[in-house]
Amino acid sequence: MEFACSIAPRLAGAPSIHIRFAQPSRAAWRVKQHTSQVRTFRVSSAFLREAPGGAPAKLRGQRKVFDSVDEAVADIKSGSILLSAGFGLCGTADTIIGAIARRGPESLHSLTAVSNNAGTAIGGGLSPLIANGQVNRAICSFLGANKALEKKYLNGEIAIELTPQGTLAEKLRCGGAGIPAFFTPTGVNTFIQSGQIPVRFKNGEVVEAGKPRETRIFDGRVHNMETAIKGDVAVLRAYKVDEAGNCQFRYTTKSFAPLMAKAAKVSIVEAEHIVKTGELKSDEIDLPGVFIDRIVQATAEKIIEIKKLRSNDDPEAGDQDAAIVRRNRIAKRAAKELKPGFYVNLGIGMPTLAPSFLPPDNHVWIQSENGILGMGPYPTEEEVDADIINAGKETVTLVPGASTFDSSESFGMIRGGHIDVSMLGALQVGANGDLANYMIPGKVFKGMGGAMDLVSNPDATKIVVLTDHVDKNGRSKIVQNCTLPLTGARVVSTIITDLCVFEVDRKKGELTLTELAPDVEVEDVKKNTGAKFHIAENLGRME
């Protein structure tokens, strides 16, 4: 039986694909299982390399501890889906990744790498594999300042599937739990839903577009359908691992590690300490050994991506430049949104300054999307711990009563409406509450990270934007309608800038000016705002 199906001309330039199905003879069933599963596709363009993919052998009953990391990765196949744990450089399996890199692109290539971020600007993580050309596709949520990866993407050397961080975590969780798909409010009315984020370029042209999402309405809201991610091999790092494969993680190293291990056919863990079975008490085990197949000794040193130390100086004391004064003004006003006992998520950048302006007796529980509830201030030199970082990859501390957990738990708190306030930065905010903060087409391509998830339940979690009123070119960030790709539609309730405070009526799509900064008048706001707004009868002043 033979048939042809039409596909888009941009797909490798082929007008059709021919697939031949033949009834096998009885003799054909006697060949080895792996050869009987080979599928042959004829296309009009030839592939440069063959990359069959598939998982290494999974053998029960054998010793899980490998004496050599090179031996542990020796049978990973080209074309495999590689799940790499870690958040930034926290919890990355650098010993194992180094061994994979040593195999080189001739031995191991065409990998699809799934990770929160595919390497960093300073190396580490997946960076060696990206640099080697061993990865031709990355599924991630954040590129950040990784200009080398951004260049490879724009030059067509690598395909990138941008996925919101919480969605990525849930896709992995479902992959490991045998759930093929799920519906989520994250990414609705954005380029994620419409599939408008290009996956691959060639000669400046888009040759692979994103995939539009199927949608359904639940409880009166539109939801996107997302499919699960399952991998051939997972690589992760743990603090202690016993010989049965039971794992114990430290703090934020667990953000993606359990999820990756569960979603893979074969999981390889590098352990800082390998101990005898039984040495880990049952209530100390974060990941049961059923999910681990191979164990190696971790030898790579931990890398701290951003070492941020605590300053004991008064944030408003001394001579400061205009930018710091503006940021402090915004952060000080934002602190008033944080009421005693609130559970609050703070985005990277300006939102992290808000707790500095809280009174000592105003206890607020700060959540970090990479798996902390009860985040404390930046550490002193003596308190620095590479395993405790925030969403901006900066070193932080934990307050008494803090807890740590994986990313699916973290974003479940957010999407489920258990967080009272979420504060984010912005590139643009619309008069109707639309938010754009992750991409400027042709200029900025950082990825959305967790931002789309953070604004996915605005009726339960108040979304507060902290931003300069105008950008570096003097253009207003407060606009009637956003022209940049949206992070979320009709999600923002309050906008705090260096000039004023706006309250947003998300249903009516209207702004109301409620407070003015010191030495700022209404005319100053009108002159610098690209949107219409009402003026509150009792117009107040920001302190």
Side-chain angles (χ1 to χ4, degrees), residues 258-299:
L259 300 171
M260 298 291 187
K262 293 174 184 179
K265 296 175 184 175
V266 171
S267 296
I268 310 173
V269 62
E270 61 180 71
E272 295 173 35
H273 304 279
I274 301 175
V275 300
K276 296 292 184 182
T277 302
E279 189 167 326
L280 281 176
K281 296 178 181 179
S282 299
D283 61 353
E284 295 176 332
I285 294 169
D286 297 312
L287 180 70
V290 66
F291 298 111
I292 296 297
D293 302 285
R294 302 177 185 185
I295 305 164
V296 299
Q297 180 64 52
T299 58

Side-chain angles (χ1 to χ4, degrees), residues 444-502:
V444 176
F445 185 77
K446 291 187 175 183
M448 68 289 294
M452 286 188 178
D453 298 276
L454 293 175
V455 301
S456 64
N457 194 349
D459 291 333
T461 300
K462 183 177 181 180
I463 307 302
V464 180
V465 162
L466 282 60
T467 181
D468 287 327
H469 205 96
V470 299
D471 65 18
K472 62 183 180 181
N473 296 310
R475 293 173 299 206
S476 179
K477 290 188 172 187
I478 318 302
V479 296
Q480 193 65 35
N481 296 290
C482 289
T483 57
L484 297 176
L486 294 188
T487 304
R490 293 180 180 266
V491 296
V492 178
S493 292
T494 301
I495 307 167
I496 303 172
T497 79
D498 52 310
L499 298 185
C500 65
V501 177
F502 286 116

Side-chain angles (χ1 to χ4, degrees), residues 330-353:
I330 295 168
K332 185 176 182 179
R333 172 57 183 83
K336 291 190 173 183
E337 300 289 327
L338 309 182
K339 307 302 181 184
F342 267 26
Y343 294 91
V344 179
N345 179 280
L346 302 179
I348 62 175
M350 211 181 305
T352 62
L353 301 176

Side-chain angles (χ1 to χ4, degrees), residues 10 137-140 143 149-150 152-156 158-163 191-192 194-202 204-213 438-442 444-445 447-448 485:
R10 66 174 179 272
R137 180 176 294 263
I139 301 173
C140 57
L143 278 67
L149 178 59
E150 183 178 350
K152 279 180 174 286
Y153 166 68
L154 296 175
N155 289 343
I158 189 170
I160 292 180
E161 297 181 29
L162 269 186
T163 304
F191 279 8
I192 291 293
S194 59
Q196 288 177 262
I197 301 178
V199 174
R200 187 185 291 274
F201 291 94
K202 185 175 182 179
E205 298 292 328
V206 176
V207 295
E208 182 181 350
K211 297 177 182 177
R213 303 309 197 253
Y438 77 98
M439 180 195 293
I440 301 176
V444 176
F445 185 77
M448 68 289 294

Side-chain angles (χ1 to χ4, degrees), residues 108-146:
L108 183 59
H109 56 81
S110 305
L111 297 173
T112 293
V114 182
S115 186
N116 183 63
N117 45 292
T120 73
I122 64 171
L126 289 172
S127 296
L129 306 186
I130 301 291
N132 272 1
Q134 291 173 277
V135 175
N136 70 356
R137 180 176 294 263
I139 301 173
C140 57
S141 74
F142 194 66
L143 278 67
N146 192 346

